[in-house]
Structure formats: C-alpha cells, structure tokens
Amino acid sequence: MFEEELDDSSVLDVLDKQIVHGLVTDARIPFARLGAILGVSEQTVARRYRSLRTRGMIHVAGQVNTVPLGQPRWVMRITSTPAKAVALAESLARVPELSWVSLLTSGFEIMCAGRTRSIERRDELLLRVIPRASSVVGLTVHEVMRQFPFPEEWPRYDRFFTAEQLRELGPRPPMWEPVGPETQVTLSREDEAMMAILARDGRAPYARLAAATGWSATRVARRMSELIESGVLYFDLDFALQLMGYTCRAVLWMRVDPARLEEVGKAISEHSEVAYLAAITGPANLTASLVCRDNAHLYRYVTERLGALPGIRDIEVTTALRVFKQSQTLVDAQKLAVLP
C-alpha cells in the first residue's frame, strides 16, 4: 500500500524518473554515459534535465559535510512570537550555514538544520545571533550523533531500471563516517571558490570551476574527487515536492529505547516515506523527515508502520506549514532581510 502511495503522479514520466535516479546516484554523471545506459541520446538527457530545472522540479547542489572538518551537524527548533514567525524564517533561510528551514503547523515554531565550519561561527550563531533576535522566545539544539544511510535514496526510483542498467550505473558513494581526528580535512581558498559555485550549481562545468580557482580543468576534477572521497563534498538534489504530488512534509521526534536505537534506525531507513533519518541528542533521540501524499498517508504511516516497531516509546509528529529553504535552495525567492 505504501509503495503505491509514493508512486509519483504523471508530472514525471519514466524517462524523467530514470534521469532523476541517475543524478541521485551520481550528480555529475556525464549525460552521454547516462543516455547510453538508458538507451537514449545525450541530447535527449540534456534536454530533459534542462526542462526539469526550468520547471523548478529539481536542483543539484554541492554540499559541504562539516564533520570531516571537525564540526558536528545539528538540528534546531526555534520558538518565535507568532506575528514574526514568517519574517524570522525568511531571515534564517538567508544564513548560509542553515538549511531545511521550515515553519511548522503550530505557526510559531521553526525547524532548521545547521553546519558551521568553525567553533567560533557555531558559537556566534547559537549563542549570540539567533538568541538575540527580538522574535526568538525559545531555542533547542540537537546535535546529530549518527545519520542513517538508506539502501536507496529518496525518491527511490531504481525500480524503473533493469538489473543490468543498475549495474552499469553503479552504486551511490557510501555515506562518509568519521574514524578519528586524523580524518579531518583543511580547505584551501581554491577549494572554497569551487564549492561556492557547486552550491549554486552542482553540475557546473569543469571549465567554469577552473576559471574560478585558477587551476586546470584536470586539477579541478582531481581535487573534486579527493574531496568527495574524504567526505567533505557531497551532492544533494532538491525537489519541488508539491509539483510531484506530495502535499505533506513531516518531521518525527522519537524516543527510542537506547538498546534498540540502531535496530529501529535501520528498520526505518528501509521505509519509502523517509527522506532523512538521524540519531540526535536531547529529549528525543531519533528524528526523521517524511514525505507523504497527504495527512491521511502520514497517519497510516505513523500508526501502521512505526506502530509495529518495538522499542519506540514516544513519537512527536510535526508537519511543515511552509518550507523556506531546502538544502541550499530558497523556496521563496524573495529578497530577505537580516534577523529581525
């Protein structure tokens, strides 16, 4: 039942879905290679990709994973004065270190994810900038202890490929896991210039990146591979979910028996509705981001799928009234001000 509910509307045809899955697996896959796997021309893949971008259906963004840089990721829940909640969310969406900025259905709580490059910048945001905003009346910060990998990334389109096509496409790079302080990476000025462009366009051509860094295209490609292998650089796809027929986004805050946290996390990572899953610090020790068709679908998921899992003691369900920013994409492209 749940797989049927997550089957997309006719907005995307099978070829669109195959292209999306190819990009989810390898965001910078050459269109010629993807076309060869799919049995279509390079020009067809490029044309379809441009159409998806022009319609606002997808956006490929290069992201910086701050864990290899020695800084953890965190999730914030910010309580605002109701009259100023929208203005605050708009302002938070403009902060480069913050992503997934959403106003929850309470109308006065904002949730966002954060990652900073340094302790100083983290402290500036969490101890000074955000708490001192006049509209902020409460702030809770949860540090991410472990992000659970998925056997297949959302929107889970590998069913539109044959087994041979999947083998040719290859697996998505495994999620990077820290193994010690010796894994920390230092970014150069040229690295930062390259990543700034990739944040805006994850498929920016090597020639453009070379011009920004002063390197050759060959050196850019080599350095990009090194940063991906180190876990510092990864690629995300933002989706226009409502255009795809998904009207309900929800975040779950779960209290799970500690001895069963890994077991429950691995079980939930198999669920098609789940787009993000992490063990966190705080009163709740597991959080999940869901994509559902509607509230009825959300209700069935919580009661039937999660309700059947042993070890979950309590679940708080929060839904998004409005999304202002996804990974790096401003959903509302207004010109936004500083924190009110």
Side-chain angles (χ1 to χ4, degrees):
M1 175 176 63
F2 290 95
E3 291 292 341
E4 292 176 358
E5 286 181 292
L6 283 170
D7 190 24
D8 289 324
S9 68
S10 59
V11 172
L12 300 180
D13 64 17
V14 171
L15 182 56
D16 286 334
K17 294 172 184 177
Q18 290 174 321
I19 291 171
V20 166
H21 184 75
L23 293 171
V24 167
T25 304
D26 179 359
R28 292 184 62 87
I29 185 172
F31 288 150
R33 178 168 171 248
L34 183 55
I37 293 172
L38 299 178
V40 299
S41 70
E42 176 183 1
Q43 292 76 15
T44 296
V45 175
R47 185 175 64 252
R48 289 295 190 104
Y49 172 71
R50 286 195 299 269
S51 175
L52 290 169
R53 284 198 63 184
T54 301
R55 288 185 287 159
M57 299 295 294
I58 64 170
H59 175 250
V60 181
Q63 304 288 308
V64 177
N65 178 8
T66 59
V67 176
L69 302 177
Q71 294 300 314
R73 293 158 292 186
W74 27 272
V75 179
M76 288 191 297
R77 301 180 68 174
I78 304 168
T79 306
S80 168
T81 53
K84 295 184 178 180
V86 171
L88 176 62
E90 289 175 337
S91 299
L92 290 167
R94 283 296 187 190
V95 178
E97 294 91 347
L98 301 182
S99 59
W100 303 105
V101 180
S102 301
L103 178 64
L104 304 181
T105 46
S106 62
F108 54 84
E109 186 179 11
I110 299 161
M111 190 208 78
C112 56
R115 48 177 183 262
T116 53
R117 307 286 189 88
S118 67
I119 294 176
E120 292 75 18
R121 179 57 176 163
R122 180 202 64 189
D123 290 349
E124 181 184 9
L125 280 176
L126 299 185
L127 303 180
R128 290 186 288 276
V129 175
I130 294 175
R132 290 177 182 175
S134 61
S135 53
V136 172
V137 297
L139 171 64
T140 304
V141 181
H142 306 267
E143 188 170 309
V144 174
M145 297 187 291
R146 164 162 160 71
Q147 181 179 341
F148 286 89
F150 297 142
E152 182 192 358
E153 293 296 319
W154 199 91
R156 304 175 193 258
Y157 282 160
D158 71 352
R159 63 188 183 276
F160 296 105
F161 286 70
T162 66
E164 177 60 29
Q165 285 175 320
L166 289 174
R167 280 193 295 272
E168 290 183 54
L169 186 61
R172 180 179 171 89
M175 185 180 295
W176 185 89
E177 292 286 348
V179 295
E182 67 277 4
T183 64
Q184 292 186 16
V185 178
T186 301
L187 296 180
S188 68
R189 182 172 52 195
E190 292 81 3
D191 292 331
E192 297 284 5
M194 177 174 64
M195 294 220 193
I197 293 175
L198 291 174
R200 296 190 294 271
D201 179 7
R203 289 189 60 86
Y206 288 116
R208 182 180 168 196
L209 298 172
T213 58
W215 293 338
S216 67
T218 301
R219 185 176 179 186
V220 166
R222 183 171 64 248
R223 182 55 175 163
M224 188 184 298
S225 297
E226 292 171 353
L227 291 173
I228 292 172
E229 185 177 349
S230 71
V232 173
L233 174 63
Y234 68 100
F235 293 90
D236 254 351
L237 265 69
D238 285 340
F239 297 94
L241 296 178
Q242 287 194 330
L243 295 180
M244 295 169 67
Y246 300 100
T247 63
C248 179
R249 281 181 167 185
V251 178
L252 306 183
W253 309 89
M254 293 168 277
R255 295 176 61 207
V256 179
D257 292 331
R260 282 188 146 158
L261 184 57
E262 184 71 10
E263 171 192 343
V264 170
K266 287 182 177 178
I268 294 176
S269 72
E270 301 276 350
H271 296 173
S272 301
E273 293 82 358
V274 181
Y276 176 80
L277 180 67
I280 56 174
T281 61
N285 57 6
L286 188 65
T287 185
S289 176
L290 305 182
V291 179
C292 296
R293 282 289 178 193
D294 49 33
N295 283 339
H297 179 192
L298 172 63
Y299 176 79
R300 288 191 294 274
Y301 174 76
V302 171
T303 57
E304 296 175 22
R305 301 203 80 177
L306 290 185
L309 292 178
I312 301 177
R313 291 183 285 169
D314 183 56
I315 302 176
E316 179 187 0
V317 182
T318 56
T319 55
L321 182 64
R322 183 175 167 192
V323 178
F324 293 82
K325 186 180 184 182
Q326 298 190 93
S327 58
Q328 283 293 326
T329 306
L330 291 173
V331 177
D332 186 354
Q334 299 179 48
K335 189 172 182 180
L336 307 179
V338 296
L339 291 177

